[in-house]
Amino acid sequence: MCTVLYVSPLSANSYRAKLVLDLLGVSHETRKVDLRTGEHRRQPFLSLNPLGHVPVLDEDGRIIRDSHAIVFHVAQRHGKPWLPDAVHAEILQWLFFDATELHHGIGLARNQLHFGIPTNLEAAQSRATKAMGVLEARLKAHDWLVGDSPTLADLACYPFVSIRDQAGIHGAWPALEAWSRRIEALPGFRSMPHAMDS
Ligand SMILES: N[C@@H](CCC(=O)N[C@@H](CS)C(=O)NCC(=O)O)C(=O)O
């Protein structure tokens, strides 16, 4: 089987997909797409993803775009313990939380502060801060977002949380910090952007 993951080292969404493939030990090739030169807005990349977004997974010609769809697919195929059947809905709840609250909060605020892409910074930072509070409340009472062991929910939310300082999001969230350290201690963990080196 030939599996290729198209990424950008600058992209937290790419990091999510890469982290899951690596932690599950899925053999794959990582190909970097140069966002700075607009490679993602030209062919041949557009034929992989007409939205012009990374990441994209090419699994023997089966093309899957969107990091959340990619990690769900990969965990279904290779990582059942990360996606227990009984809690798919709870895990999806956190995947969508990431795709909405963290993306529109931390992601957009970082886009402006780090890359100069204009946004409503105040609104994005306020959404991010509220989302941090939601995570902190859950993690004060539990080690992991779903159940008693790490799942896809944790891996999906970690990337944006880990770069929140680049979005100007600072605060005291001790349970969130402790959860981050638990994820970073998982065998095979690599931080962003080093995860995308190979
Ligand atoms: N929901 C998508 C979002 C993908 C996305 O926004 N990717 C960004 C990088 S983090 C991108 O490719 N941006 C390029 C652009 O918008 O021009 C996912 O989770 O993969």
Side-chain angles (χ1 to χ4, degrees), residues 1 3-7 14-31 55-59 67 70-75 77-79 82 152 155 187-188 190 195 198:
M1 172 176 291
T3 301
V4 180
L5 182 68
Y6 293 84
V7 300
S14 296
Y15 177 42
R16 178 172 311 103
K18 179 67 180 158
L19 188 60
V20 170
L21 280 162
D22 281 347
L23 289 183
L24 295 186
V26 179
S27 163
H28 65 283
E29 184 192 325
T30 305
R31 266 188 224 160
V56 173
L57 186 76
D58 179 346
E59 203 182 61
S67 62
I70 293 169
V71 298
F72 195 84
H73 169 72
V74 168
R77 238 180 137 147
H78 304 276
W82 294 90
L152 208 52
L155 300 184
R190 282 193 295 169
S198 60

Side-chain angles (χ1 to χ4, degrees), residues 91-175:
I91 289 175
L92 281 173
Q93 170 185 278
W94 288 109
L95 262 58
F96 286 116
F97 172 85
D98 179 78
T100 55
E101 305 316 308
L102 298 184
H103 178 90
H104 290 102
I106 293 173
L108 294 191
R110 174 179 180 252
N111 277 354
Q112 171 154 335
L113 294 177
H114 212 60
F115 302 114
I117 301 170
T119 194
N120 181 335
L121 185 59
E122 201 180 318
Q125 287 182 324
S126 151
R127 196 162 176 173
T129 303
K130 185 174 170 193
M132 294 300 97
V134 171
L135 286 166
E136 179 71 11
R138 162 74 199 180
L139 294 166
K140 251 187 194 159
H142 304 87
D143 278 356
W144 303 103
L145 291 178
V146 176
D148 297 327
S149 53
T151 68
L152 208 52
D154 303 287
L155 300 184
C157 291
Y158 174 82
F160 276 131
V161 169
S162 74
I163 53 168
R164 64 186 183 279
D165 56 323
Q166 295 177 15
I169 304 302
H170 308 288
W173 296 294

Side-chain angles (χ1 to χ4, degrees), residues 8 10-17 33 35 38 40-41 45 49 51-56 65-70 98-99 103 107 110-111 115 117 160 192:
S8 161
L10 305 171
S11 152
N13 292 308
S14 296
Y15 177 42
R16 178 172 311 103
V33 179
L35 301 187
H40 57 305
R41 299 209 180 98
F45 186 78
N49 183 0
L51 293 172
H53 289 163
V54 285
V56 173
R65 63 172 188 252
D66 191 288
S67 62
H68 305 90
I70 293 169
D98 179 78
H103 178 90
R110 174 179 180 252
N111 277 354
F115 302 114
I117 301 170
F160 276 131
M192 178 182 169

